[in-house]
Amino acid sequence: SAVGRGPEVPFRSEAYGISAIARGKELRLTLSALDPAAGPPAQDLVFRFGMSGSFRLCPAAELPRHAHLRFLTRESPPRALCFVDPRRFGSWRLGDAWQPERGPCVVSEYQAFRENVLKNLEDRAFDKPICEVLLNQKYFNGIGNYLRAEILYRLKIPPFEKARTVLEALKEQEQERRKKDPSLTLSKKVKLRKENPDLLELCHTVPMEVITAEKQLLDPEHPDNYSAFKSWLQCYLVPGMSSLRDRSGRTIWFQVGAWGWGAPRPLLQGDTGLSPPWESPALTPTQVTPRASKQRRRAAANPPRLEQKEVKEEQEGQADRAKKGRARGRRTVTAAPASPEEPQSVRRSRRTSAGRGRGEPGV
């Protein structure tokens, strides 16, 4: 289309076929002429779908809005296979290469995906909360926002628990399994994993459930059938669940009370920060505004400046009180400077108490 942001596709053929293969969140289309001798060489396109990209097959005379790439059939009347992307976050590029920063697919390359995660737990990426790491396509290629919510909910894992803590436990469990019974057959291993799946196994089986359900959802006779998918969801967008924005700005859905150590503050009404927030399930979450979060990060990054500002304000307040005392003919007493070892909270409480004793408002 005229407003499409992708590159032109240098492929022209009177009769050609389209095949596709997926890997995580990418899809590769291969265009090949039905008569290889007379037609052009095959052309590969690799698609990323963003948040709203999809393919639709529709009459060529009734193209949907935002159909940015179209493949026409030879029927009469013709139809069009369209790449539709209203938000235009999706893209395509020429060639057959997958993105190099994406890891093995959680669906089609499960064993390689599992090994890639467990052997790289020393990576700094795993210092983050598990809910954020699950969106890292370098290690969890194919996991998106609703999938991470469903996976963590089924295992009752707090979304803001440190990723390395969660995954190192899996590594230890796997080593213990091998030590206990190294002679387990493959069928027995599969049975045990089905009965007690871990986080990485659910990263494979939960998307597979969706793929199976989508065969019903994508039935051409029922294109608007969304009820099956909604009934499948246990956590994401489900009434009664809680939600919060993570540090990347994405909304994570989870069971009320199941927070984790790395959750943004303030999370709870009345939360003092003295105890883990997931131990207070009766309290309700409050939304953290981007401005408040930015102010807290700035304050944490520049504590010396804040301390200098408080000292300056205290000195100015003492000078003002001294002027008032002389004007009233009172004897002024200069307060001794606070020792550098005193905590800020002690100095602040002393200023408050002194102000109240003179009938002045507390700081």
Side-chain angles (χ1 to χ4, degrees), residues 232-289:
W232 174 84
L233 292 171
Q234 299 179 32
C235 179
Y236 184 77
L237 297 178
V238 173
M241 294 296 165
S242 190
S243 65
L244 187 74
R245 289 187 182 275
D246 61 22
R247 288 181 293 183
S248 62
R250 302 293 300 276
T251 301
I252 174 67
W253 289 78
F254 53 93
Q255 190 171 13
V256 174
W259 306 93
W261 71 275
R265 303 287 190 187
L267 276 182
L268 305 170
Q269 295 173 356
D271 178 19
T272 62
L274 299 178
S275 60
W278 61 90
E279 292 181 359
S280 306
L283 302 177
T284 56
T286 56
Q287 197 63 256
V288 182
T289 62

Side-chain angles (χ1 to χ4, degrees), residues 8-9 14 26 29 60 63 69 73 87 91 158 161 183 186 210 221 234 265 330 359:
E8 289 288 334
V9 181
E14 288 298 321
E26 291 185 295
L29 296 188
L63 292 177
L69 193 62
T73 69
R87 296 189 181 184
S91 63
E161 186 61 72
S183 62
L186 180 60
V210 181
E221 296 180 1
Q234 299 179 32
R265 303 287 190 187
R330 294 178 181 177

